[in-house]
Amino acid sequence: MTYLFNNPENFADELIEGYVAAHRNLIHLVEGGVIRKHKAKLGQVVLVIGGGSGHYPAFAGFVGSGLAHGAAMGNIFAAPSAQQICNVAQAVDAGGGILFCYGNYAGDVINFNQAQERLCAMGIDVRTIIVTDDIASAPLTEKHKRRGIAGTLPVFKAAAVAADSGKSLDDVFRIATDANDRVRTLGVAFSGCTLPGANKPLFEVTSGKMEVGMGIHGEPGLYRINAPTADGLADMLVNKLLAEIPSIIVNPDGARIGVILNGLGSVKYEELFVVYRRVDRLLFERGLTIIEPVVDELITSFDMAGISLTLFWMNDELEQTWIAAADTPAFHKDNIARSNEYTFKADQLNDKHPVEMGSMDSKSAAAIVFVALKAARKVINEKSEELGRLDAIAGDGDHGIGMQRGITAAVVAAQEALDAKSGVGTLLTVAGNAWSDRAGGTSGALWGVILRNLGNALGDEAAPQASTIAVGIASALHDVTNLGKAQLGDKTLVDVLLPFSAALATAASQGLSIANSWAVATDIANEAAQSTKNLLPKIGRARPHAVQSLGTPDPGAISMALIICAIGKTIGRF
């Protein structure tokens, strides 16, 4: 379990603060993450990585000379927000383009894609490599669906070395793509992890058993077997990984490979070395040449007891990136020269939405919406533990915490907008921005989209009508499905948002008031949320554990229905 924390909600912020204080000689703090203390050369490509907190040394520990130029740091087990990613990227941009590199998780994909779109709109050339090394999470025929775990390190290093050597963005992208094609990882766990403030782990493993193919966010394994000896585990991991030799390898038995044996939190170094001695022997017997193996904790999951093995099939170019020097707080290879330090002002990254004054009608509506947001916050706070429990059945258990962070930030931002006498459109927009920025993750990004689209539809002049609200919800549905790629039946919040939007539009077209239209649509939303218990998840973190979620409603759908219902009880004044 996690023993040392203050308010669990502030754990990620406080660990970042302490981490930066401990490594001032190597890194700087920026809003949303950390960057190298020493600048990239003018005109060169820079590498930006990122992901949720709770995996140290990933991802902030890999920022420094010879590795990433910056890392966006999300909340515990949640993707960083698009704004956090943009802040880090702008801070390190040297004019030669930016490569984003991160593990394949829905929240990371959504937020990094949003950040890429924003930066490209600013004229910054951005490319993306999504790491897909986890062989347990999807078959080889669907490698693009695989998660990114400890194999992120060789991909990060390949990209960083290529960037620092002055290669073009095209070449850096090519080299990182090649590295991702050549890396494979498999992990196992003997216990789940416990989030700060929680009184039990996200999943439990019976003594003498082992989960195979667990995720780094506390997701349980894909199947459970009797725990083997250290040698037996080494045999299993090596054999399964060698069965996936990349097709581009001409002579697999004579290949040069990088090896990472990674501890996930509670399996300590002595145990890792016992396993590695067998791994080394097995690979040697296959005629493989091991290049500078790494036995360490590189991507963890709090106190999870588990390990993962990564094999990295090299060519001449990638071997040079793997052995190149690096100096970060968590990863060292020799000493390398440093360039000049950053001098940097936080206000350079200020990207806040301007607060617009509203008409009298719009300001009155803003006051009602503010009350509605507070009602939504109240119900989410009351149900956060239950939402986390639902999420932990096939996911990482963070949905309740993420929703709390998001709606709390939205209410604070809405209060500021209300005090500034903004209209309802601006109030919803700043609330959406605050929600997505503070919550991060998939739900944070999607709720940000929902509130912003509703704000755009309502504007700051006219009094809201049922028809304009219906238009705003329809627009939100369109952008949510485009962003998250979920469709009806995928077991997500779309299964509530789509029928809710349709019912709201129908009621509005019949001339019903806002309150009556919303009430009709609320009944539909509640029914749709409960019906998700009969669905199997087709996307997101729960997809590899689809059968486990059968019979349980989707937490995102439930939280959406709760919010819709809470709002409906407050908007009778419209």
Side-chain angles (χ1 to χ4, degrees):
M1 63 182 293
T2 304
Y3 297 95
L4 302 174
F5 54 90
N6 297 308
N7 183 338
E9 184 178 330
N10 299 328
F11 188 88
D13 295 335
E14 292 177 351
L15 79 86
I16 294 169
E17 181 182 350
Y19 170 73
V20 171
H23 298 289
R24 289 192 183 97
N25 60 319
L26 295 175
I27 58 174
H28 277 310
L29 176 68
V30 299
E31 187 67 33
V34 298
I35 63 174
R36 288 188 194 180
K37 185 174 182 179
H38 301 89
K39 294 180 179 180
K41 295 177 183 177
L42 186 64
Q44 81 159 74
V45 178
V46 292
L47 172 67
V48 173
I49 63 175
S53 298
H55 304 301
Y56 187 82
F59 294 89
F62 299 148
V63 173
S65 299
L67 256 168
H69 298 83
M73 300 177 66
N75 298 321
I76 299 301
F77 291 176
S81 70
Q83 186 59 55
Q84 289 176 300
I85 298 164
C86 285
N87 290 347
V88 173
Q90 289 177 268
V92 298
D93 180 28
I98 298 171
L99 183 71
F100 284 164
C101 196
Y102 53 90
N104 189 22
Y105 298 91
D108 295 281
V109 172
I110 288 172
N111 285 284
F112 271 94
N113 281 347
Q114 282 189 323
Q116 182 170 353
E117 291 173 2
R118 294 183 194 179
L119 293 168
C120 288
M122 299 176 191
I124 301 173
D125 195 357
V126 182
R127 311 282 177 83
T128 292
I129 296 292
I130 302 175
V131 183
T132 53
D133 61 304
D134 178 15
I135 70 170
S137 54
L140 185 58
T141 54
E142 296 181 315
K143 187 175 185 294
H144 64 284
K145 294 182 179 180
R146 288 179 169 178
R147 301 176 293 205
I149 47 179
T152 52
L153 178 60
V155 182
F156 291 167
K157 199 164 187 297
V161 172
D164 282 345
S165 68
K167 294 187 183 297
S168 68
L169 184 56
D170 286 340
D171 279 341
V172 174
F173 178 84
R174 173 186 59 79
I175 291 168
T177 300
D178 195 15
N180 186 47
D181 288 341
R182 293 166 173 266
V183 67
R184 303 286 190 276
T185 302
L186 178 62
V188 300
F190 307 97
S191 76
C193 65
T194 306
L195 298 180
N199 57 14
K200 62 180 181 179
L202 294 176
F203 68 91
E204 296 181 346
V205 183
T206 304
S207 178
K209 300 291 184 179
M210 178 179 75
E211 298 266 350
V212 180
M214 82 300 136
I216 60 169
H217 300 91
E219 305 97 327
L222 301 179
Y223 59 94
R224 184 171 294 185
I225 62 174
N226 291 330
T229 63
D231 283 0
L233 177 55
D235 290 351
M236 185 198 80
L237 293 174
V238 168
N239 290 335
K240 286 185 177 295
L241 290 173
L242 288 181
E244 282 234 356
I245 296 171
S247 59
I248 54 179
I249 305 301
V250 177
N251 180 18
D253 287 336
R256 293 162 292 164
I257 59 172
V259 182
I260 299 172
L261 187 62
N262 173 63
L264 282 154
S266 293
V267 173
K268 302 317 297 178
Y269 290 89
E270 291 86 350
E271 298 170 87
L272 293 176
F273 288 126
V274 171
V275 175
Y276 184 75
R277 103 193 200 290
R278 177 65 175 171
V279 170
D280 184 88
R281 185 178 305 166
L282 291 169
L283 295 175
F284 177 79
E285 290 171 354
R286 287 292 297 266
L288 299 167
T289 300
I290 300 172
I291 308 297
E292 296 191 8
V294 176
V295 180
D296 205 346
E297 291 185 349
L298 294 170
I299 184 162
T300 61
S301 188
F302 276 108
D303 59 338
M304 181 186 286
I307 70 171
S308 64
L309 179 65
T310 299
L311 298 184
F312 177 37
W313 283 266
M314 299 176 182
N315 56 21
D316 291 342
E317 186 173 46
L318 291 174
E319 180 177 346
Q320 293 307 306
T321 68
W322 180 241
I323 67 176
D327 184 22
T328 81
F331 191 81
H332 304 274
K333 281 183 180 287
D334 300 323
N335 293 313
I336 58 178
R338 302 185 180 99
S339 59
N340 55 316
E341 290 189 13
Y342 273 97
T343 55
F344 149 110
K345 297 180 180 178
D347 59 6
Q348 293 174 234
L349 305 179
N350 188 8
D351 189 31
K352 295 199 178 285
H353 187 279
V355 176
E356 301 290 342
M357 295 282 288
S359 68
M360 290 300 296
D361 285 341
S362 189
K363 284 189 287 187
S364 296
I368 299 171
V369 168
F370 176 65
V371 173
L373 287 173
K374 289 198 297 181
R377 180 181 62 181
K378 183 176 185 293
V379 73
I380 291 300
N381 285 339
E382 291 171 348
K383 300 292 186 179
S384 64
E385 186 173 341
E386 173 64 9
L387 293 172
R389 186 192 68 78
L390 291 174
D391 192 30
I393 290 171
D396 55 20
D398 72 336
H399 185 69
I401 294 173
M403 290 294 291
Q404 276 187 300
R405 292 175 69 99
I407 188 61
T408 298
V411 170
V412 170
Q415 178 71 72
E416 293 174 355
L418 198 66
D419 292 344
K421 307 200 181 301
S422 76
V424 67
T426 292
L427 182 139
L428 283 164
T429 298
V430 299
N433 290 341
W435 189 320
S436 62
D437 188 30
R438 185 61 176 160
T442 303
S443 64
L446 298 183
W447 274 100
V449 165
I450 292 167
L451 295 188
R452 286 192 293 267
N453 275 268
L454 188 54
N456 289 338
L458 296 182
D460 294 318
E461 294 298 326
Q465 303 294 326
S467 57
T468 54
I469 293 175
V471 167
I473 296 297
S475 174
L477 172 65
H478 177 271
D479 283 0
V480 162
T481 53
N482 279 346
L483 185 62
K485 309 304 180 187
Q487 302 296 323
L488 189 67
D490 284 351
K491 197 164 187 173
T492 70
L493 60 78
V494 171
D495 292 302
V496 171
L497 185 57
L498 192 153
F500 175 74
S501 176
L504 196 64
T506 299
S509 69
Q510 294 171 349
L512 297 183
S513 67
I514 292 175
N516 289 337
S517 297
W518 196 278
V520 170
T522 296
D523 292 338
I524 301 295
N526 284 330
E527 182 179 345
Q530 292 301 322
S531 295
T532 60
K533 66 184 178 183
N534 302 316
L535 300 175
L536 290 173
K538 297 178 182 177
I539 65 171
R541 289 181 188 161
R543 181 187 57 80
H545 311 287
V547 175
Q548 295 180 28
S549 76
L550 193 62
T552 302
D554 177 66
I558 292 295
S559 61
M560 170 160 278
L562 287 171
I563 289 174
I564 288 171
C565 186
I567 291 173
K569 295 176 181 179
T570 66
I571 61 175
R573 288 182 284 165
F574 275 127

